[in-house]
Amino acid sequence: MRYGRDVRGVGMTSERTRDRLIRRLKREGIGNDAVLARIREVPRHLFVDEALASRAYEDVALPIGSRQTISQPYIVALMTEALVRDLKPGDKLRRVLEIGTGCGYQTAVAAPFAQHIFSMERLLSLITRAQKLLKELEISNVSLRHGDGLGGWKAQAPFQGIIVTAAPADVPGELLEQLDEGGRMVIPVGAHGGQSLQCITRTADGYRREPLGAVSFVPLLPGTGN
Ligand code: SAH
């Protein structure tokens, strides 16, 4: 495989730096080995600005332009772990909807756990960059769309998994409707300063909600932009 940029990484993006991140995530309670292995594998330094590449394997959120941030690895691991909780090793979720592609890092981490990921982003500049990078990394089971994710992606519903990486005040009804029975949505909910990460499972007679902890995401905004 040949890449335009250094995918495996050297120096600050080396194997040792990645091992240190994985040890930290384990200490913080991430227990799913497949998720940890995937976090170790995805070259996070390519998703952030080059000037910040040396900090890519620290457990911190970093700017990705357009006043948005790439989530800290712990949160990406926690959300992915919740999403794939019921999967047997080697199994995949059939269709996953992601709202808030951003730089595409969370998409890349989740990709091997789904047959297909449908990911929406309201900012054109971010989705254009994500598209290019995911292609460079040869991640091909992903469809990206520039649009407001509040209404979900009806034509591709229902989804066995939905992952939302920006926070609405309340869980959008359209997203609940597009969740398949037995499917699971991982979503931060609430105003800035008081958000909680929720894991919502659709059951035969409704929805079961489970809080996963306090988080701090950018807000889910209506409409689209450049
Ligand atoms: N998962 C991303 C994190 C991106 S931050 C990553 O790994 O980089 C959240 C993203 O959600 C931002 O890029 C923001 O533009 C986007 N967003 C906010 N409201 C949205 C909406 N209504 N529809 C789609 N994307 C939205």
Side-chain angles (χ1 to χ4, degrees), residues 44 47 62 64-71 76 79 98-109 119-124 126-127 129-130 145-151 163-167 217-224:
R44 191 169 183 259
F47 289 85
L62 293 170
I64 53 172
S66 309
R67 299 193 5 237
Q68 305 303 318
T69 52
I70 180 173
S71 305
V76 174
M79 291 178 84
E98 179 185 50
I99 307 300
T101 317
C103 65
Y105 176 70
Q106 169 75 72
T107 326
V109 169
S119 185
M120 297 181 70
E121 167 58 52
R122 65 182 291 276
L123 296 178
L124 185 60
L126 290 180
I127 203 157
R129 208 174 65 192
R145 179 171 146 206
H146 178 221
D148 179 354
L150 261 174
I163 187 162
V164 184
T165 69
F217 278 81
V218 297
L220 191 80
L221 298 173
T224 59

Side-chain angles (χ1 to χ4, degrees), residues 10-159:
V10 291
M12 293 305 284
T13 63
S14 70
E15 307 283 307
R16 223 158 34 120
T17 321
R18 294 184 192 205
D19 285 340
R20 194 162 53 214
L21 171 63
I22 299 310
R23 279 200 303 275
R24 181 175 170 150
L25 297 183
K26 276 188 186 166
R27 267 202 315 274
E28 286 174 351
I30 305 297
N32 184 316
D33 288 336
V35 171
L36 288 166
R38 184 60 181 162
I39 297 260
R40 192 185 186 289
E41 179 178 49
V42 176
R44 191 169 183 259
H45 62 284
L46 299 185
F47 289 85
V48 299
D49 289 347
E50 229 158 314
L52 294 167
S54 66
R55 304 197 58 199
Y57 299 95
E58 292 174 24
D59 192 22
V60 291
L62 293 170
I64 53 172
S66 309
R67 299 193 5 237
Q68 305 303 318
T69 52
I70 180 173
S71 305
Q72 74 183 99
Y74 170 72
I75 294 294
V76 174
L78 184 69
M79 291 178 84
T80 311
E81 191 172 64
L83 193 73
V84 306
R85 197 156 63 188
D86 292 337
L87 281 185
K88 292 189 201 77
D91 271 7
K92 289 174 196 256
L93 294 165
R94 221 156 5 101
R95 299 156 95 73
V96 168
L97 173 67
E98 179 185 50
I99 307 300
T101 317
C103 65
Y105 176 70
Q106 169 75 72
T107 326
V109 169
F113 301 102
Q115 282 173 17
H116 205 91
I117 300 191
F118 298 88
S119 185
M120 297 181 70
E121 167 58 52
R122 65 182 291 276
L123 296 178
L124 185 60
S125 55
L126 290 180
I127 203 157
T128 307
R129 208 174 65 192
Q131 184 96 57
K132 192 166 159 267
L133 190 45
L134 292 170
K135 189 166 176 223
E136 217 173 294
L137 295 174
E138 298 177 350
I139 296 171
S140 53
N141 61 331
V142 171
S143 303
L144 304 187
R145 179 171 146 206
H146 178 221
D148 179 354
L150 261 174
W153 193 328
K154 226 172 183 163
Q156 301 295 349
F159 300 99

